[in-house]
Structures are given as C-alpha cells and as structure tokens.
C-alpha cells in the first residue's frame, strides 16, 4: 500500500547529488546594467535566456550577470510596467561579455501584455516570514514559498488546495466544517502559528485565498522569531500589494453544487500621484454542498494603500473584512469508533448556523537607513466575532452501537476577540575583521482580549438538580425511523441559558537577536536568542450552575492569573561545497505555556521542545530545479500530564488525585521524520512541484497513554506531484495555442488516525485501570484509522488578449475519505467536482 510514496522518495533523492560531477557545457558570462529613463538603476527586473528559459533578476544597483552556453543567445528582459526588450548576445566560452547599459521605458498602457516570471529558485528567494534578508540557501531550516502563478494555475479556492504543494504540511481536521485546522511535523498550528502579512490571525474561519500573492512556510522551530508557537512551523499568507501601474481584473467562478463567486481586483496610482497607490480585492461567495442541508455565504474585502513617504521610506496600510455564514456540520457520526461510510448524511438540527466576522488593519513602515541597514515597524489590529448555534457533537461512544440511535442536545456560544500587535525589526550587515555579519535585532508585543459566553441546559421544572439536555433522538443509519422522545425536551436554542462569561487578556512581549556569521564563502553559522514573557489573566463569571461539577455559585467571579517567561536559543551551521548546494544542521528550543497547577498549588511551568534538523538544499541543472531534503527530531521532554500521586487534604489524610487540572511535567512526546521538496522553474513550457513526507509522532513516556502510541491527526505519509504545461512554448507566439495551459495535481495521504488514544489511568478513581482479575488494562477509548486516499485534479486554461477561462475537475477518481476531530466530527472529503472561472483583465 505504501510502495508508491517510497518509490517517489527514491526517485527524488537522486536529485540530491550535486551537479559538479556532471558533464560540463562550454559557457561564458553575460554582464550588464539596466536603467530607467531617468538614469536610475532598476532592481528586480527579469533577465533570462529565452531559449533555455533560465535567468536572474537585477540587483539593487541594476546589475546582472548570467551564465550561458557559448554561441548566439537571445536575452529576454521584462519588468512589470516596462516595455519588454530582447537582445542578441554572442557568448564566448570562458570569457565575459559585457552588455552596454540598457534603458527600459515605462509602458503602463500595455501592462496587461507583460508576463512576469520569478527567475530565482525557491532556494535563492528570501522569505519575509524568516525576517532575515538572506536567501533560503543560507538558512539552516526548511522553507517553501508558493507563488501566485501556482495558486492561479491550480485554481486554489481554500487553503487546503494550496497545502498540496508543501510536503509535511497537512489538514489535521475540519471541525464542524467551518475551518481547516493545520498541522506539521506532528503538531497542530493553531492561531499562534498562522500569519497574514506577518501578523497573527484567528484561523477559526477559513481565510480567503483569492487575495493571495504567495504562501510562505517556515518549517520547524520559529520560537526565536515569534515566541509562543507550536513546534511544527509557521505559515504566512501574503496578500496582493498596491501598484502604481493601473490594472486589475474582474472574474466569475462557478462550480458544482450551486457554487457562485464573482471577484474583483483593481489597482493603480491614486490620481496622477507618483507617491501613492491603492489596491482593492473583493469577492462574494455562495454555495450549497454535497452534504445534505449545508449552505454557505461569505463576503470578502481587502483594501490596501501604499505611500512612498521618502525615496527610502514606504508605508503600506492594509485592511481585511471577512463575513462568513455557514451551516455547522459535524459530519456523519461514528458508532463504537467505527465510521459508517457516507458522503451526505447530515446530523445537525434545523436552524443551526455558524456566523463569523473577522476584520483587521495592518500598517507596515519600512525605511532603508543606509544601503545595508533597514528598519521595519508593524502595527496590527484584528477583531474576531463568532456565534455558534448547533446540535451537540455526535460522539462515537454516545451513539447506540446496536441500533445507531443518537441523542441530540444543543450548544450555543458567542465569542469575541481583540488582537493588537506591535513589532520592530532592524536588519543589516557589518564586518568585523574578515567576518561578515547579517544581523536581526527585534522586539514585539501583542495582546489578546477575549470574551466567551457559553450557554447551558436549563433546569428541569420537575426534577431537582437535573437539567433538560435532550433536543431529540434520531437514528443516524435511518433518519425516517420513529423513536420515542423524552417527556421533557429542549424546544430550541432559546431554551438554553447563560452559563459562564470568560474574559481573557493575554499579554506577551519578546526581544530577540540573530546573527548569520559568514566564516568563509562556504561556511556560515546562524545563532540567536529570544526572551519571551507572557501574562495570562482570566476571569470567569458564573450566570448559571446547573450540573456545574466545580460547585460554583451563580453570580460569582473566579479570578485566574499566571505568568510565564522563557529563553529560546537557536544555532545552525550551513556548509556550501559549491554555490548551488548547502548542507545544514541546526538546534532550536521552543516553549508552550501550560494550564493547571502542580501538586503544591503553583502554576505549571511551560513545556519545552528541543528540535534537531539536518538537511541538504540543492539547485540543479543551472537553477532550473530546486531539490531539498530535511530530516528532523523534536522532543518534548516535560509534557504536562495529570498528577497520579496522592494529595494531602486539609484533614491531613491522603487520597488519589481526582482533579485533572492538577498536573506534573513528566511526560514525553517525540516526533521524527523526513521531508522532500522539489520545485522547478519553467523549462520548455513545463513546471514541476513534487514532494514527500514521513512523520512518526508518539508518546515515548506517559502515565496516561500507552508508550509508543501515536498522536492523532498526523499522517505518516504524504506525497504530492503537480505538473503544468504551457503550449505556447511549443507552438510559438503566432499560433492560437499560445495561451493554452494544462495542469495535473495529485496528492496522497496515508496512515492517518483520529478517535481517542486509549488511557491506562481512570480520572474518576485516580488509579490505573484494572480488569476483574486486577490485571492492568485500558479504557474503552479507541483510535480510528482514516482510509488512505489519493486525489487527482486536472485543469485547463486559455488566455486570449485580456480574456481568460480556466476549468478544473477535482478528485477525478471520486475518492472517499474523511477528516476527523476526535470521534465527534467525521467530515467526508469532497467528491468529484467541476468548476470554471472566466476573467477579464482591466
């Protein structure tokens, strides 16, 4: 069953051999400079060999140098908003040919005809999420960037559509069908690990993909940069930015199950200004679903402004508004931890809804102090509001195993969140003797203000100390089956009563420094340290105490306070035997605050994670292909787990601990794995993205769970392959086929589990589970094996002048599998679907 991923791994690792031993082609060097009409150097202009398709971007001073085979070569020079030029150069083997300085003229009227292709490889491009102005090749850490061209070719609608391009980044679950929860290297991302334009955003709602310029993934430890983040890595979504050249597009996407989505994107200078520009993205979406009774509507607006305050200082203001209203859908249910196959079975109640509004504003001020020093300041604000009205989740153990009867209750919550961020980074270079330093000095502070209003079941008018908890009873296998209903029932959501109002006010701050030290042309060392402080006050107000196991009195406050601080060191070594190959090894430490208290009543210290990573990054075939392999090991050696010792009461007597909030830092979780990422630049019309990941994350020491048992939600294997072909390269520029493109994407997920890990400890008695004979045993919890699946998507696109049409067929084989959260949200993946997008460039 796993042969295909391993064959792919063997095939990909062939690319790891450096090309220095391959047969060499007679080459020469082409050098030159590009200027604008004012005689100023042009940076980031593409200069490529038209026949080979490979090239470079001009440096800050407008210079470029490009290796090419001996003989006559045609240079293709293009930049957004400039007239494209082509120049024939005679290259002499072993010699340098200097091209006279070239001047590019602005041509905003023909902007729609300019095609810009990123000529740098994935390893040559810096990522903004790493905060250092260095190429990925110099970074002792795995990093992947997916550009807008790929997102458009794949017609990405949701974030999960884009994740198939990154090995080891996956959807862990889709709880309630209202979000896509992500994970990497055995650890969940959560809102702490997801960023938009460098600012954290609440991932409780699916972000809008149509506004993305690129997606950046920095794998492994990033605690030195961002403080309290999970160990697997971070994801940064970069939205489209303002431009001074006028342009844009309008489009309409339609698809299966009544999907309908108009889109607009316009940009340009504000009036005739050369100092201020704008951009406005927007979309409206509505759809039904392959799931019975499920519907969704969403509105998205993304305005942004760019101001050139001085020749060296820019200010970017960005806003976001997303309103998402959809039917909460906890899936098809499970019986005794076994999935009952279905795609359409719907178990929620009429009138269920999940409404989310997310707004944000970000200001980014960037100033180049000198040619080599830059300061960047970011201020961000986000507001998140959510209201959920739904049936309670269909827990596997709560479904009658014999008959499939499910007792449905109701749940209702209202959540609000204000998030504030301030961040300051100083980057630059300096020399001390023969050593070169690339420095990052930074500080950040953020604050979460959260309120959560939870509703509870009302008290029974006839039975003391009893709540009415049942809405109705249904049969999940036969919805037409008539079942006797209880005498006292909930009539609807308005019957639920306010229970608790929880107010949080988390405040965090951090200071960090990193230095990329170049010991020689081949050896570099990255070292850094961060100090983080976190304060987490929380107040709980109790409105209602029916069936409240904490015995709280209605109308009272419970005040909670905790303070944490931690140091996060990082060190890595990069060795580059040749300029296109880098071997690296790194160590980093991260932390995770813990809730609860120890046996003495003190707050628990944070858990820490030691991360070790080794790998090789390679640019092959003169930069046409980037092939990277990484191996890692992550150890949480002080995992918080329930304290199983005896507690001494006020009367001096000892008894087993029955409070799961009393914990000890004595467990251990270990994650280890391998990741392969391969990307190509366009070559003869072809582009390729492929990869493979293996991960094993398990409890390696625990008094609760069986040692060696795997953590849920993490697939042991993922594999991906995307092929795109541009027919215009083969048929020339004068044919009707020049605008035709085709693509195929496949994605494999294997050996993934959900459900619940079996426990050796009984929280009701504070003692280990034993059978009737007194022998150690476990509880009734079980893990659920999720069926392996392989998705195949195919797409076609055609562009003629300003018009374009793209069609996509997803899940061609109609594979059936599921995303699970615990055993109570069993959500089927989408079946075979069709979509088409028509657009017009302004």
């Amino acid at each position: 069953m796993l042969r295909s991923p391993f064959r792919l791994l063997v095939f990909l690792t062939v690319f790891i051999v450096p090309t220095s031993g391959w047969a060499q082609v007679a080459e020469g060097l082409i050098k030159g400079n590009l200027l604008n009409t004012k005689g100023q150097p042009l940076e980031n202009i593409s200069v490529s060999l038209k026949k080979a398709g490979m090239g470079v971007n001009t440096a800050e001073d407008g210079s470029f140098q490009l290796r090419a085979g001996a003989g006559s070569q045609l240079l293709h020079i293009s930049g957004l908003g400039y007239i494209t030029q082509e120049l024939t150069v005679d290259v002499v083997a072993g010699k340098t040919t200097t091209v006279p300085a070239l001047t590019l003229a602005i041509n905003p009227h023909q902007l729609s005809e300019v095609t810009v292709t990123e000529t740098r490889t994935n390893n040559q491009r810096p990522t903004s999420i790493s905060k250092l102005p260095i190429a990925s090749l110099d970074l002792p850490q795995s990093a992947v960037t997916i550009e807008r061209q790929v997102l458009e070719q794949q017609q990405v609608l949701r974030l999960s559509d884009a994740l198939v391009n990154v090995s080891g980044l996956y959807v862990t679950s889709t709880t309630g069908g209202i979000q896509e929860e992500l994970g990497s290297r055995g650890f969940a991302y959560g809102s702490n690990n997801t960023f938009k334009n460098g600012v954290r955003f609440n991932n409780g709602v699916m972000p809008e993909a149509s506004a993305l310029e690129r997606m950046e993934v920095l794998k492994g430890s990033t605690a030195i940069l961002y403080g309290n983040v999970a160990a697997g890595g971070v994801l940064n979504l970069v939205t489209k930015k303002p431009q001074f050249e006028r342009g844009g597009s309008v489009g309409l996407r339609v698809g299966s199950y009544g999907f309908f989505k108009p889109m607009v994107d316009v940009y340009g200078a504000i009036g005739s200004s050369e100092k201020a520009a704008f951009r406005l993205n927007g979309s409206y979406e509505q759809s039904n679903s392959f799931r019975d009774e499920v519907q969704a509507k969403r509105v998205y607006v993304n305005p942004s402004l760019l101001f050139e305050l001085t020749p060296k200082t820019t200010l970017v203001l960005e806003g976001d508004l997303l309103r998402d209203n959809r039917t909460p859908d906890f899936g098809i249910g499970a019986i005794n931890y076994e999935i009952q196959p279905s795609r359409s079975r719907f178990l929620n109640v009429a009138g269920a809804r999940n409404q989310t509004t997310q707004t944000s504003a970000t200001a980014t001020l960037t100033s180049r102090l000198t040619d080599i020093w830059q300061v960047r300041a970011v201020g961000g604000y986000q507001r998140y509001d959510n209201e959920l009205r739904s049936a309670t989740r269909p827990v596997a153990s709560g479904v009658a195993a014999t008959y499939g009867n499910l007792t449905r209750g109701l749940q209702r919550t209202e959540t609000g969140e204000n998030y504030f961020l301030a961040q300051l980074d100083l980057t630059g270079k300096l020399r001390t003797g023969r050593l070169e330093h690339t420095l990052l000095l930074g500080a950040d502070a953020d604050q979460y203000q959260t309120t959560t209003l939870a509703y509870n079941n009302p008290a029974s008018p006839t039975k003391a100390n009893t709540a009415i908890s049942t809405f109705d009873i249904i049969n999940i296998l036969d919805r037409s089956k008539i079942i006797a209903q209880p005498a006292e029932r909930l009539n609807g959501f308005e019957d639920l009563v306010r229970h608790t109002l929880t107010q949080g006010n988390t405040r965090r701050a951090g200071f960090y420094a990193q230095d990329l030290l170049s010991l020689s042309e081949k050896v570099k060392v990255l070292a850094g340290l961060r100090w983080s402080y976190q304060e987490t006050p929380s107040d709980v107000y109790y409105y209602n105490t029916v069936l409240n196991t904490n015995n709280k009195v209605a109308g009272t406050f419970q005040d909670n306070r905790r303070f944490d601080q931690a140091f996060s060191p990082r060190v890595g070594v990069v060795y580059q035997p040749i300029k296109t190959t880098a071997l690296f090894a790194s160590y980093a430490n991260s932390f995770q605050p813990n809730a609860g208290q120890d046996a003495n009543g003190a707050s628990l210290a944070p858990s820490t994670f030691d991360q070790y990573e080794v790998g090789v990054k390679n640019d092959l075939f003169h930069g046409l292909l980037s092939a990277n392999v990484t191996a890692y090991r992550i150890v949480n050696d002080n995992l918080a787990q329930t304290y199983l010792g005896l507690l001494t009461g006020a009367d001096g007597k000892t008894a087993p601990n029955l409070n799961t909030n009393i914990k000890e830092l004595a467990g251990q979780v270990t994650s280890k794995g391998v990741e392969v990422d391969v990307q190509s630049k366009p070559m003869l019309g072809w582009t390729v993205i492929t990869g493979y990941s293996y991960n094993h994350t398990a409890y390696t020491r625990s008094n609760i769970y069986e040692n060696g048992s795997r953590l849920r939600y993490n697939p042991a294997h993922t594999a991906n392959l995307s092929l795109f072909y541009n027919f215009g390269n083969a048929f020339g520029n004068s044919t009707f086929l020049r605008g035709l493109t085709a693509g195929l994407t496949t994605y494999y997920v294997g050996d993934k589990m959900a459900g619940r890990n079996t426990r050796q400890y009984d929280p009701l008695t504070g003692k280990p589970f034993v059978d009737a004979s007194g022998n150690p045993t476990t509880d009734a919890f079980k893990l659920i094996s999720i069926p392996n699946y392989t998705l195949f998507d195919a797409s076609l696109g055609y562009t003629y002048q300003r018009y374009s049409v793209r069609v996509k067929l997803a899940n061609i084989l109609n594979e059936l599998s599921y995303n699970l959260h615990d055993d109570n949200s069993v959500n089927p993946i989408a079946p075979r679907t069709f979509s088409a997008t028509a657009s017009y460039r302004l």
Side-chain angles (χ1 to χ4, degrees):
M1 184 179 299
L2 302 178
R3 288 182 181 177
S4 296
F6 282 116
R7 285 180 179 174
L8 179 60
L9 176 60
V10 173
F11 172 75
L12 294 176
T13 52
V14 172
F15 293 118
I16 305 311
V17 180
T19 60
S20 57
W22 292 24
Q24 299 295 312
V25 178
E27 292 182 339
L29 186 66
I30 304 174
K31 299 179 66 175
N33 280 80
L34 298 183
L35 306 173
N36 62 20
T37 54
K38 298 179 181 180
Q40 299 169 330
L42 289 176
E43 183 183 2
N44 206 33
I45 300 296
S46 171
V47 182
S48 61
L49 301 175
K50 187 167 184 179
K51 184 177 180 181
M54 59 179 291
V56 296
N57 279 16
T58 54
E60 182 181 330
D61 60 358
S63 65
F64 68 88
Q65 56 181 21
L66 179 64
R67 291 199 171 274
S72 180
Q73 296 284 356
L74 183 61
L75 287 185
H76 183 83
I77 303 169
S78 65
L80 187 62
Y82 293 94
I83 297 176
T84 300
Q85 293 190 23
E86 292 185 349
L87 179 68
T88 301
V89 179
D90 292 324
V91 180
V92 180
K95 295 186 178 181
T96 299
T97 301
T98 301
V99 178
L102 297 173
T103 300
L104 296 188
I106 294 177
N107 191 355
H109 301 294
Q110 297 181 6
L111 178 65
S112 61
E113 299 299 322
V114 177
T115 299
V116 179
T117 301
E118 173 62 74
T119 58
R120 293 174 297 177
T121 69
N122 188 63
N123 289 331
Q124 293 170 343
R125 297 192 296 265
T127 58
S128 59
I129 194 68
S130 70
K131 296 189 178 182
L132 275 173
I134 61 173
S136 178
L137 202 66
D138 294 331
L139 191 67
Q141 190 171 10
S142 179
V144 177
T145 300
I146 305 300
E147 299 288 349
R148 174 163 54 110
Q149 182 181 9
V150 174
L151 302 178
E152 291 179 348
Q153 286 174 327
Q154 293 179 332
Q155 300 177 65
V156 166
L157 178 65
R158 297 285 177 256
L159 205 53
S160 55
D161 299 330
L163 300 187
V164 302
N165 301 297
V166 183
S167 69
L169 180 59
Y170 44 81
V171 174
T172 59
S173 57
T174 55
T175 307
I178 59 179
Q179 59 182 327
E180 292 180 330
E181 297 148 300
L182 310 180
S184 176
R185 298 187 174 183
F187 300 94
Y189 269 25
S191 295
N192 274 333
N193 291 59
T194 50
F195 296 78
K196 180 177 287 188
N197 298 317
V199 178
R200 283 183 173 91
F201 74 92
N202 192 312
N203 68 346
V205 61
M206 290 176 281
E208 179 57 41
S210 64
L212 296 184
E213 182 67 31
R214 65 181 182 274
M215 182 179 78
E216 300 176 336
V217 180
L218 190 59
K219 301 180 183 180
S221 177
T222 56
I224 190 172
L225 301 175
Y226 298 103
N228 176 23
V229 290
V234 292
L235 167 70
N236 185 39
L237 305 178
V238 182
T239 57
K240 299 172 183 176
K241 306 303 180 186
Q243 298 180 17
F244 286 95
E245 299 82 2
R246 291 191 178 277
S249 65
V250 292
L252 175 64
R253 180 168 181 166
V254 295
S256 304
Y257 304 104
F259 183 87
F260 173 82
K261 183 175 185 177
M263 300 168 286
V264 62
D265 176 21
V266 292
Y267 52 82
I270 298 178
S272 58
S273 173
E274 295 182 357
K275 302 294 183 181
F278 76 96
R279 190 156 196 162
L280 178 64
N281 290 288
S283 64
Y284 170 79
E285 179 182 315
Q286 70 176 31
S287 64
N288 297 318
S289 173
F290 65 95
R291 304 276 298 131
D292 293 343
E293 303 180 45
V294 173
Q295 297 178 327
K297 290 183 180 180
R298 56 195 273 141
V299 176
Y300 176 74
V301 182
N302 171 221
S304 57
L305 297 170
L306 166 64
F307 299 97
E308 291 190 354
L309 304 181
T310 72
K312 293 186 177 181
T313 303
T314 61
L315 173 65
V316 178
L317 303 178
E318 297 171 283
D320 243 23
L321 169 63
L322 175 63
R323 290 181 177 173
D324 187 281
N325 186 358
R326 64 185 59 241
T327 307
D329 176 18
F330 291 96
I332 63 173
I335 298 179
N336 194 28
Y337 300 95
E338 293 184 2
I339 300 174
Q340 307 299 311
S342 174
R343 263 220 164 92
S344 60
R345 184 189 307 128
F346 180 72
L347 301 180
N348 215 326
V349 298
R353 71 172 186 265
N354 184 81
Q355 293 181 317
T356 303
T357 300
Q358 187 176 50
T359 58
S360 67
T362 304
T364 304
L365 181 70
T366 304
S367 181
R368 295 178 59 185
L369 306 177
T370 68
D371 290 340
I372 57 176
W373 285 93
Q374 174 179 286
V375 63
R376 183 173 180 266
V378 179
Y381 168 75
Q382 178 188 118
R383 175 67 188 179
Y384 176 88
D385 291 284
N386 174 264
E387 181 182 359
L388 172 67
R389 296 186 175 200
S390 171
T392 51
R393 301 183 185 187
V395 179
S397 58
V399 180
T402 304
Y403 304 106
N405 289 347
L406 170 66
T407 299
R408 296 194 297 187
L410 299 178
Q411 59 176 318
R412 180 180 176 185
T413 58
E414 297 170 14
T415 302
E417 175 185 282
N418 290 311
Y419 176 67
F420 306 88
L421 167 77
Q423 178 181 295
L424 184 66
D425 290 321
L426 176 67
T427 56
K429 295 185 179 183
L430 60 83
R431 298 190 68 90
T432 56
R434 300 178 60 184
L435 302 179
E436 181 179 284
H437 306 261
T438 302
L439 292 172
L440 165 66
L441 302 174
D444 56 35
D446 63 357
Q447 181 179 18
Y448 280 101
Q449 296 175 339
T450 60
T451 59
T452 302
L453 177 61
Y455 290 75
N456 203 6
N457 296 314
S460 169
T462 60
K463 301 177 182 178
N465 300 318
T466 303
I468 303 175
S469 59
T470 299
F471 175 73
D472 64 3
I473 304 174
I474 64 171
N475 187 275
I476 71 171
L477 300 179
D478 183 3
R479 293 296 302 273
S480 64
K481 183 178 179 180
I482 298 177
I483 303 173
Q485 305 296 316
E488 291 185 335
R489 296 169 50 193
L490 297 170
N491 295 312
F493 296 105
E494 300 305 322
D495 285 355
L496 301 179
V497 294
R498 293 185 176 189
H499 180 216
T500 57
L501 176 65
T502 304
Q503 297 175 319
N505 191 12
T506 299
R507 295 184 283 266
R508 300 183 293 205
F511 301 90
Y512 48 93
Q514 277 195 132
D515 182 9
L516 179 67
L517 183 62
S518 298
L519 304 180
S520 68
E521 289 187 1
K522 296 185 176 182
V523 180
K524 300 177 182 179
V525 175
L526 179 66
L529 181 67
R530 178 190 177 98
W531 175 77
S532 298
Y533 170 81
Q534 179 164 316
E535 178 181 340
T536 315
S538 176
D539 297 320
V540 182
Y541 180 81
Y542 290 87
Y543 293 98
N544 177 279
T545 58
V546 174
L547 296 186
N548 183 358
T549 56
N550 294 323
N551 296 318
K552 300 298 180 182
V553 178
T556 62
F557 265 104
Q558 177 182 346
D559 185 20
N560 302 298
R561 290 284 189 275
R562 62 173 296 108
F563 306 90
D564 295 299
Q565 59 179 322
F567 286 96
S568 302
R570 175 185 186 182
V571 61
V573 179
V574 179
Y575 173 62
Q576 297 176 334
I578 57 177
K579 289 186 177 181
T580 57
T581 298
L583 308 174
F584 70 89
S586 67
Y587 164 79
N589 180 273
S590 58
F591 71 98
Q592 176 180 300
N594 289 307
Q597 60 188 32
D598 63 19
N600 298 317
S603 296
L604 283 179
S607 294
T608 55
F609 299 77
D610 293 311
Q611 304 195 46
Y612 308 87
E613 189 169 344
V614 295
V616 55
K617 301 180 181 181
N618 233 328
D619 283 341
L620 307 171
F621 309 115
H622 303 287
L624 290 177
L625 195 71
S626 297
N628 302 336
V629 175
T630 305
Y632 59 87
R633 179 181 174 87
I634 305 172
V635 181
N636 175 7
D637 200 39
N638 56 352
L639 175 71
Q641 57 184 20
T642 303
Y643 177 70
L644 297 189
L646 299 177
L647 296 178
T648 302
D651 57 0
K653 297 182 180 179
T654 60
N657 173 34
L658 302 182
N659 186 349
T660 56
N661 286 322
I662 299 178
K663 302 177 182 180
E664 59 180 342
L665 300 179
Q668 184 184 78
V669 166
T670 301
S671 169
K672 53 187 176 182
V674 177
E675 295 167 346
V676 181
D677 286 290
V678 178
Q679 286 189 8
S680 81
K681 294 194 294 185
M683 180 177 62
L684 300 177
W686 289 96
T687 56
V688 179
I689 300 175
T690 188
Y692 168 77
S693 73
Y694 167 77
N695 173 263
H696 182 82
T697 304
Y699 293 102
T700 45
R701 185 176 65 245
S702 176
N703 60 12
I704 307 296
Y705 304 107
E706 295 178 286
N707 290 336
S709 59
R710 286 174 52 195
L711 271 68
R712 303 165 294 169
Y713 313 132
N714 307 300
H717 305 275
T718 70
N720 60 280
L721 173 64
S722 295
L723 296 172
F724 301 101
Y725 184 68
N726 187 333
F727 288 85
N729 188 81
F731 293 94
N733 293 332
S734 61
T735 71
F736 182 76
L737 293 176
R738 65 171 294 206
L740 182 63
T741 60
L744 177 67
T745 298
T746 180
Y747 180 59
Y748 170 79
V749 175
D751 197 6
K752 182 180 178 183
M753 296 184 300
R756 298 177 186 269
N757 289 83
T758 55
R759 298 176 300 179
Q760 300 171 310
Y761 153 82
D762 187 350
L764 298 179
T765 64
K767 299 178 181 179
F769 285 104
V770 293
D771 59 20
S773 302
N775 299 317
T777 186
T778 58
D779 62 6
F781 284 173
K782 297 178 183 179
L783 288 173
I784 300 174
S785 180
I786 300 174
N788 302 344
Y789 63 92
T790 303
L791 298 178
F792 285 94
D793 299 344
S795 62
L796 281 175
Y798 184 75
T799 300
Y800 178 72
Q801 295 181 352
R802 295 176 181 268
Y803 301 91
S804 66
V805 176
R806 297 179 184 272
V807 295
K808 178 179 180 180
L809 189 62
N811 193 4
I812 297 173
L813 301 181
N814 205 34
E815 288 271 76
L816 175 60
S817 189
Y818 307 89
N819 287 307
L820 272 73
H821 178 83
D822 290 339
D823 59 338
N824 54 41
S825 190
V826 185
N827 298 94
I829 64 174
R832 183 187 301 113
T833 56
F834 172 82
S835 63
T837 304
S839 62
Y840 174 77
R841 287 190 295 177
L842 303 174

